């Protein structure tokens, strides 16, 4: 799914209106209907709730007036507040303002004294500004925002929290942005909804499908995408009846060191579960017994060194290679990695200590083969490529580095960003906070390596691997207490969803 900015969203609205031969007011009515349905799904027993809805002067406010009317029609107790400090009011906003007037739930806010007291039991709907913000909030609109934020009321923002821009970083100072518990964004999300700094501003977000048409066209060019379940399913390669283990490739995992056998085991088990035909693990000789016991499906290729990996040979027989989980950063291991980078020409995944070694030896970056997949968390990324002020700068730097080195950077986080060499960025839609657990990254490395072995191209292996990783965790459905091995155990169920 393309991620569009506010300008392209307005263009998409116009395209839909033209193609369907409808008015903009009718499209707004459709949007309000879909949003109201989502609100009714989020808020149980809406007839028992008091909704306080704040509406600005643009089309976001017009949505709010229509939503207020529809919630009232469903039996909810609604008070709708029109903010009268805007210099301009859109035609569709005024139409819905006039339509709601006779109902008796509309109140004008002309000054601070008109701002209502918000109770903790209220449901607040923020339809003040919407997207395309060009200047900071000021005047008594800022006082309204503060009144919302200091209340303990459950708050739903329409399209985007008021005060937050398409690519903005929230300042979180009570008067600059609405702190939403839930954001209902129309058509596609905005980049700002993906950024960790904005979590307390955005809350959970849902995409409200209102049937906008033409987004796939060349008029809507963007480097940013949001990966959905249906899109991943399109690229799944079904297994044929006469396939055999050789069909799905032989993967080599260069991993483990003394005291870090777990990383090698988790990576290997994930690689099997993700469908690699054969998996070999090259580990220090001391890890032989534990590897064969913990992962009997894995062939173990032992290093001559007892506690670290010192040399890897015979790479030609492998379809994909992954290096890093639990390796350690010994100078001998660093020399091994340099040799490995010179020998592997394709289908390479680099994670964890492989990245840390490269950060300490910057010249190694020039040896990384084309389309290699690097999977850093933010600190590993900064050690490799330098510090950034915020996550948006980090993503932009990842785009530049992916292009510079012709690689794929999987920047791990709540909405993991797969940054490709052509400048495109794919934000993931699956996963949850319970995945913040030891070994989760090792599992992801194994999954991506397995997909490469099965013939998925590197970009798709990265995108699909990240999606599967998150979906397997979502299937467990626990608020915390998830183990990395739980993710591995649910990979077959995640595959079943896209094979369905």
């Amino acid at each position: 799914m393309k991620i569009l900015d506010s300008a392209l969203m307005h263009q998409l609205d116009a395209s839909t209106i033209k193609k369907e031969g409808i008015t903009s007011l009718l499209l707004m009515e459709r949007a309000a209907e879909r949003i109201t349905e989502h609100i009714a799904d989020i808020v149980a027993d809406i007839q028992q709730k008091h909704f306080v809805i704040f509406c600005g002067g643009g089309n976001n406010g017009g949505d709010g007036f229509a939503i207020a009317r529809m919630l009232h029609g469903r039996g909810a107790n609604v008070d709708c507040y029109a903010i009268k400090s805007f210099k301009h009011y859109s035609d569709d906003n005024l139409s819905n303002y006039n339509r709601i007037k006779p109902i008796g739930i509309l109140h004008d806010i002309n000054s601070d004294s008109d701002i209502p007291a918000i109770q903790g039991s209220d449901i607040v709907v923020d339809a003040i500004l919407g997207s395309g913000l060009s200047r900071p909030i000021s005047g008594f609109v800022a006082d309204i925002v503060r009144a919302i934020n200091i209340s303990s009321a459950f708050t739903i923002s329409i399209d985007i929290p008021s005060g937050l821009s398409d690519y903005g970083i929230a300042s979180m100072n009570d008067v600059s942005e609405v702190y939403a518990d839930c954001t209902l964004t129309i058509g596609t999300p905005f980049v700002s909804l993906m950024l960790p700094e904005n979590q307390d501003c955005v809350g959970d977000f849902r995409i409200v499908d209102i049937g906008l048409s033409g987004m796939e066209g060349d008029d809507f060019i963007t480097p940013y995408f949001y990966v959905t379940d249906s899109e991943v399913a399109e690229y799944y390669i079904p297994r044929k009846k006469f396939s055999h283990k050789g069909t799905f490739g032989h993967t080599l995992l260069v991993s483990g060191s003394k005291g870090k056998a777990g990383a090698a085991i988790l990576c290997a088990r994930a690689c099997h579960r993700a469908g690699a035909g054969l998996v070999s693990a090259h580990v220090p000789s001391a890890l032989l017994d534990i590897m064969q016991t913990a992962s009997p499906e894995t062939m173990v290729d032992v290093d001559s060194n007892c506690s670290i990996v010192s040399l890897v040979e015979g790479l030609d027989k492998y379809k994909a290679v992954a290096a890093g989980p639990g390796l350690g950063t010994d100078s001998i291991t660093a020399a091994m990695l340099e040799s490995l980078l010179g020998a592997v020409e394709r289908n390479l995944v680099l994670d964890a200590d492989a990245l840390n070694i490269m950060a300490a030896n910057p010249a190694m970056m020039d040896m990384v083969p084309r389309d290699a997949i690097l999977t850093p968390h933010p600190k590993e990324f900064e050690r490799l490529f330098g510090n950034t002020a915020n996550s948006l700068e980090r993503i932009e730097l990842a785009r530049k580095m992916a292009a510079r080195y012709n690689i794929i950077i999987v920047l791990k986080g709540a909405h993991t960003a797969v940054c490709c060499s052509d400048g495109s960025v794919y934000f993931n839609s699956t996963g949850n906070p319970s995945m913040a657990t030891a070994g989760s990254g090792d599992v992801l490395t194994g999954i991506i390596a397995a997909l490469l072995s099965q013939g998925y191209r590197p970009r798709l292996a990265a995108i699909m691997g990240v999606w599967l990783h998150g979906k397997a965790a979502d299937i467990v459905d626990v608020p915390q207490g998830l183990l990395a091995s739980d993710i591995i155990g649910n990979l077959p169920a995640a595959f079943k969803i896209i094979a369905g």
Side-chain angles (χ1 to χ4, degrees):
M1 173 187 288
K2 292 180 178 179
I3 294 178
L4 306 182
D5 59 23
S6 55
L8 286 174
M9 283 302 300
H10 288 311
Q11 189 176 325
L12 184 59
D13 286 346
S15 172
T16 302
I17 289 165
K18 182 178 180 180
K19 286 183 178 181
E20 296 189 17
I22 60 175
T23 65
S24 58
L25 188 62
L26 186 57
L27 184 61
M28 181 177 285
E29 188 78 359
R30 183 198 296 177
E33 287 173 353
R34 300 290 186 274
I35 293 167
T36 302
E37 289 169 2
H38 277 272
I39 292 174
D41 182 56
I42 294 165
V43 181
D45 302 322
I46 61 170
Q47 295 85 359
Q48 309 302 318
K49 300 295 192 299
H50 178 222
F51 287 84
V52 180
I53 302 178
F54 294 98
C55 300
N59 284 346
N60 192 249
D63 290 334
F65 292 132
I67 292 163
R69 168 168 44 84
M70 292 174 189
L71 286 170
H72 176 77
R74 287 177 176 238
N77 179 14
V78 179
D79 281 299
C80 184
Y81 294 87
I83 302 170
K84 306 301 288 185
S85 64
F86 293 90
K87 293 181 180 178
H88 173 74
Y89 295 82
S90 71
D91 291 342
D92 291 344
N93 178 291
L94 292 172
S95 293
N96 272 315
Y97 175 85
N98 290 324
R99 191 172 178 186
I100 199 176
K101 255 186 175 180
I103 299 176
I105 62 173
L106 183 64
H107 317 275
D108 289 346
I109 299 180
N110 294 291
S111 67
D112 285 352
S113 61
D114 297 324
I115 300 173
I118 301 171
Q119 306 301 316
S121 58
D122 291 339
I123 307 296
V124 172
V125 176
D126 157 34
I128 301 172
L129 290 174
S131 61
L133 185 71
S134 59
R135 61 183 183 275
I137 291 175
S138 60
F140 67 76
V141 176
D143 295 326
I144 295 171
V145 169
R146 185 173 188 276
I148 294 170
N149 289 340
I150 65 174
S151 77
S152 56
F154 187 86
T155 300
I156 300 171
S157 285
I158 305 305
D159 211 24
I160 194 171
S162 290
L164 184 64
S165 64
D166 302 1
Y167 301 98
I169 302 292
S171 56
M172 302 301 294
N173 63 5
D174 278 352
V175 297
S176 294
E177 307 94 7
V178 168
Y179 305 165
D181 296 286
C182 178
T183 298
L184 298 178
T185 189
I186 300 169
T188 74
F190 297 100
V191 169
S192 57
L193 305 188
M194 306 292 161
L195 308 180
E197 293 91 342
N198 297 338
Q199 176 180 345
D200 292 337
C201 182
V202 172
D204 295 322
F205 76 82
R206 292 188 180 191
I207 300 171
V208 180
D209 182 5
I210 65 168
L212 298 173
S213 56
M215 192 189 306
E216 66 284 351
D218 292 338
D219 292 335
F220 302 98
I221 297 173
T222 173
Y224 301 107
F225 300 86
Y226 186 64
V227 180
T228 64
D229 296 12
S230 60
E231 289 167 331
V232 174
E234 285 181 22
Y235 294 102
Y236 172 71
I237 303 173
R239 296 198 163 196
K240 297 180 179 180
K241 180 178 180 180
F242 292 101
S243 299
H244 53 84
K245 62 186 178 183
T247 307
F248 305 115
H250 191 172
T251 309
L252 175 66
L253 307 176
V254 182
S255 54
S257 59
K258 186 176 181 180
K260 296 181 179 179
I265 293 165
L266 289 167
C267 187
R269 291 180 58 217
C271 196
H272 285 291
R273 284 289 191 185
L278 295 164
V279 178
S280 289
H282 184 95
V283 297
S285 58
L287 272 56
L288 172 62
D289 290 345
I290 190 170
M291 279 297 303
Q292 295 202 311
T293 301
S295 184
E297 300 88 351
T298 303
M299 294 180 286
V300 183
D301 179 34
V302 295
D303 197 272
S304 59
N305 194 297
C306 177
S307 57
I308 60 173
V309 175
S310 63
L311 180 66
V312 182
E313 297 178 311
L315 294 167
D316 292 345
K317 64 183 177 182
Y318 301 109
K319 184 75 174 289
V321 177
L327 267 184
T329 57
D330 188 279
S331 60
I332 295 174
T333 302
M336 176 279 301
L337 182 63
E338 184 174 9
S339 175
L340 184 76
L341 293 176
V344 177
E345 296 181 356
R346 61 188 178 92
N347 289 349
L348 176 64
V349 187
L350 298 168
D351 181 36
D353 283 332
L355 303 179
N356 293 327
I357 290 170
M358 291 161 61
N361 300 272
M364 285 190 187
M365 278 303 307
D366 292 317
M367 301 178 66
V368 175
R370 184 184 184 91
D371 289 332
I373 301 170
L374 280 60
T375 62
H377 58 57
K379 287 297 182 184
E380 290 168 341
F381 177 85
E382 290 192 347
R383 285 195 285 268
L384 272 170
F385 301 116
N387 295 332
T388 52
N390 54 57
S391 58
L392 185 60
E393 284 191 12
R394 192 178 305 125
I395 289 166
E396 291 307 302
L397 180 57
R399 292 177 67 200
K400 291 177 182 177
M401 293 299 102
R404 174 178 172 180
Y405 293 107
N406 284 308
I407 58 175
I408 296 165
I409 299 175
V410 177
L411 191 54
K412 292 185 285 196
H415 291 288
T416 292
V418 178
C419 304
C420 303
S421 58
D422 63 357
S424 58
V425 179
Y426 296 82
F427 291 99
N428 188 45
S429 62
T430 61
N432 59 75
S434 67
M435 297 176 73
T437 185
S440 182
D442 305 319
V443 170
L444 177 61
T445 299
I447 295 170
I448 294 174
L451 294 173
L452 289 172
S453 279
Q454 292 168 79
Y456 289 93
R457 296 178 68 85
R459 177 192 302 237
L460 189 54
I463 293 168
M464 185 178 287
V466 169
W467 183 93
L468 287 163
H469 186 237
K471 182 60 74 172
D474 289 341
I475 291 168
V476 180
D477 193 24
V478 292
Q480 64 185 72
L482 183 80
L483 298 178
S485 53
D486 297 329
I487 300 173
I488 297 170
N490 279 285
L491 282 171
F495 274 103
K496 188 174 182 181
I497 290 170
I498 55 173

